[in-house]
Amino acid sequence: MKQSKDKEITINDAIIGLKQLDDPVFGSISYRNPCTTVIIRTHDRVIKTTLEQIRIAVFKFNAETFGFIFQNGLYHSDYTEFDEWNAKTKRLASHELKANF
């Protein structure tokens, strides 16, 4: 996750479940503070939506922790659960998620 001077936040490698889509998408999430519009970029499309439309987004926060966007909040997993989350997200995304922070 990076934050620039103009307060844009980007999460580079995430699994994103959106309310309007049945299957999760894989890509990056960008938004500015305060968050009004979220931009999701995948390999073949750009989705502009609101934070409320994200059911859940899972990403590797750092080398020992996963991060989550859920119910309009940002959370992180306990490092003791890292191996389990790493295995599950690797299976779902077909690659190991890259750390963002």
Side-chain angles (χ1 to χ4, degrees), residues 25-26 41-46:
V25 295
F26 306 96
R41 289 181 176 84
T42 69
H43 72 282
D44 62 347
R45 61 183 159 169
V46 175

Side-chain angles (χ1 to χ4, degrees), residues 29-94:
I29 303 170
S30 299
Y31 61 93
R32 295 185 186 279
N33 262 338
C35 183
T36 55
T37 302
V38 177
I39 300 171
I40 299 169
R41 289 181 176 84
T42 69
H43 72 282
D44 62 347
R45 61 183 159 169
V46 175
I47 302 167
K48 292 183 181 182
T49 190
T50 61
L51 187 59
E52 293 81 22
Q53 292 301 310
I54 297 177
R55 282 187 284 161
I56 189 166
V58 179
F59 58 95
K60 194 178 282 187
F61 194 71
N62 59 32
E64 299 174 340
T65 311
F66 277 86
F68 307 89
I69 297 173
F70 181 68
Q71 294 181 343
N72 301 335
L74 181 65
Y75 305 93
H76 61 85
S77 66
D78 186 289
Y79 69 92
T80 58
E81 301 169 345
F82 180 81
D83 290 336
E84 183 179 337
W85 276 102
N86 200 40
K88 288 179 180 179
T89 57
K90 185 176 180 179
R91 232 183 346 262
L92 183 61
S94 299

